[in-house]
Amino acid sequence: MDDEKKSTVLVIDDDALVRNYISSVLKKFHIAVETAENGEEGYDIFKASPESHKIVIVDLMMPVMGGLEFIEKVRKNYMPPYPYIIVLTSKGEEDIVAECLDLGANDFLNKPITPKLLVTYVRKAFKTISMIDPNLLLEIPTKLMESKDFYTVLHSENVRLYSSVLSKLLLQETDYVDIDEAYRNSLYDFTYEIEVGALLHDIGKIAIPDLIWMKPERYSPEERKIMETHTIKGALAMTNLINRYPTSTIIKTCHEIVRWHHERWDGKGYPDGLKGKEIPISARIVAIADVFDALTTRRIYRNEYSPEQALEIMINEEDGHFDPEIFKIFLQHDKLFTALAKSRATAQILEIQKFREL
């Protein structure tokens, strides 16, 4: 990639061993690196030449200025997409990771860092900053959804966040190998495509009659059947794109998520009753994120559950619903998802207030 040759990755960590390790790995792939011992030194380097340091890898716990303060300062003075910020995290830092993402960090990478994942994340960052962000184009359908139901848009944004985090955790699990063959040589596409598909997962609801979609109470069995067709309607709307671009993995991933995010591991889901690994991994990831957000956000006919209550419900009712391996990884990081849910709830109260004032 041209950006890899033109830009220098800025690595900020107070541990010289970590700085040297990251530098040596990236330099083997001809990626230039500059290092700093703390956030203050790193900020001065970035400020002196922002265009030359489009990607920053930053540790959380450092003297003088930690990662959290660095992110806050950078995002206060510099608009995205630069720099693309990857946070280095350790176990027990889930609350801080959630805060970093809220402040504007783009990614996180758990220690210990493997060379493959490090290069994967950095190359994903280069690809993201070098292309037109599809999320800008996605504003069109999401604005259409917002005109009908603002809460569905907030739900889609939440599902994108949870799906993104869960897919990254899967990549960091060395024992988890059930990644589609299409991603074997381009793993940095994996989380990005899932993020886009997750944002679109409920797009078929636009085709559902308003009197059902926005009904202020529970659906009748007949109405439920109509509502369930949003998966088919959304997928059918993408058929032409699939036919025109049959080799595009991002279109394939979006189609998988839109059509099959309500399938169940035991085959009792909809619309096609797929079972087990017949369900694409993209849809299996989004299924967990979708249920978690549905439980932790308010519905017209019920109040929201706390993240802790939602996890308990998912555990008690999990049997047959989710891919057990992915769900296990989700539960292993329950503190992170709980922290993310609480931070999103706080942010969305403000978003809803602003929406109601329009």
Side-chain angles (χ1 to χ4, degrees), residues 201-221:
H201 79 284
D202 273 341
I203 197 69
K205 288 184 177 179
I206 293 176
I208 301 298
D210 289 357
L211 60 88
I212 295 177
W213 182 4
M214 290 175 281
K215 183 181 178 181
E217 55 193 29
R218 290 186 181 275
Y219 300 129
S220 68

Side-chain angles (χ1 to χ4, degrees), residues 94 101 113 155 198 203 234 237 305 326:
E94 288 87 356
L101 294 173
I113 309 164
H155 168 65
I203 197 69
Y305 294 100
I326 300 178

Side-chain angles (χ1 to χ4, degrees), residues 48-278:
S49 183
E51 284 296 315
S52 299
H53 301 90
K54 295 179 180 179
I55 298 172
V56 177
I57 300 175
V58 60
D59 192 30
L60 282 176
M61 301 302 181
M62 296 179 290
V64 185
M65 181 190 290
L68 198 65
E69 188 179 352
F70 171 84
I71 295 167
E72 188 172 17
K73 190 170 184 178
V74 167
R75 287 300 183 231
K76 183 178 179 181
N77 295 296
Y78 297 90
M79 294 294 290
Y82 308 133
Y84 188 103
I85 301 174
I86 302 172
V87 179
L88 298 180
T89 67
S90 302
K91 286 186 177 180
E93 295 178 339
E94 288 87 356
D95 289 348
I96 305 177
V97 171
E99 194 171 351
C100 287
L101 294 173
D102 270 348
L103 289 173
N106 301 90
D107 250 332
F108 66 95
L109 188 56
N110 289 336
K111 297 177 182 178
I113 309 164
T114 66
K116 183 176 182 179
L117 276 180
L118 175 61
V119 174
T120 290
Y121 274 52
V122 170
R123 285 190 163 165
K124 179 198 171 192
F126 276 121
K127 181 171 184 178
T128 301
I129 63 178
S130 66
M131 65 187 295
I132 297 175
D133 188 353
N135 292 325
L136 298 176
L137 298 177
L138 290 176
E139 286 187 11
I140 299 171
T142 53
K143 282 293 181 183
L144 290 173
M145 291 177 71
E146 184 179 288
S147 67
K148 285 191 170 188
D149 184 7
F150 183 64
Y151 295 91
T152 296
V153 174
L154 294 182
H155 168 65
S156 296
E157 291 173 353
N158 290 348
V159 172
R160 173 171 60 174
L161 173 62
Y162 300 142
S163 299
S164 173
V165 171
L166 184 52
S167 63
K168 291 165 188 171
L169 293 172
L170 283 178
L171 286 179
Q172 294 176 36
E173 287 288 337
T174 56
D175 294 334
Y176 192 84
V177 295
D178 185 27
I179 304 296
D180 194 296
E181 192 64 33
Y183 298 110
R184 288 295 174 193
N185 298 317
S186 57
L187 287 175
Y188 56 86
D189 287 337
F190 182 65
T191 58
Y192 185 77
E193 294 178 4
I194 287 177
E195 289 171 15
V196 177
L199 186 63
L200 286 172
H201 79 284
D202 273 341
I203 197 69
K205 288 184 177 179
I206 293 176
I208 301 298
D210 289 357
L211 60 88
I212 295 177
W213 182 4
M214 290 175 281
K215 183 181 178 181
E217 55 193 29
R218 290 186 181 275
Y219 300 129
S220 68
E222 293 76 16
E223 291 167 338
R224 169 60 61 186
K225 286 293 184 184
I226 294 173
M227 192 62 188
E228 289 178 358
T229 64
H230 77 275
T231 56
I232 298 172
K233 293 179 184 296
L236 285 175
M238 303 180 70
T239 301
N240 189 46
L241 279 175
I242 293 173
N243 292 336
R244 289 180 63 187
Y245 305 99
T247 62
S248 170
T249 58
I250 191 168
I251 295 173
K252 174 178 175 287
T253 300
C254 289
H255 178 267
E256 291 171 352
I257 291 170
V258 169
R259 185 172 183 101
W260 293 309
H261 66 278
H262 281 294
E263 297 289 357
R264 290 173 51 104
W265 186 255
D266 59 10
K268 297 178 180 178
Y270 65 88
D272 299 311
L274 300 185
K275 186 175 183 179
K277 292 186 179 180
E278 293 176 351

Side-chain angles (χ1 to χ4, degrees), residues 284-295:
R284 284 180 264 151
I285 291 170
V286 173
I288 294 173
D290 188 33
V291 171
F292 182 64
D293 187 66
L295 290 171

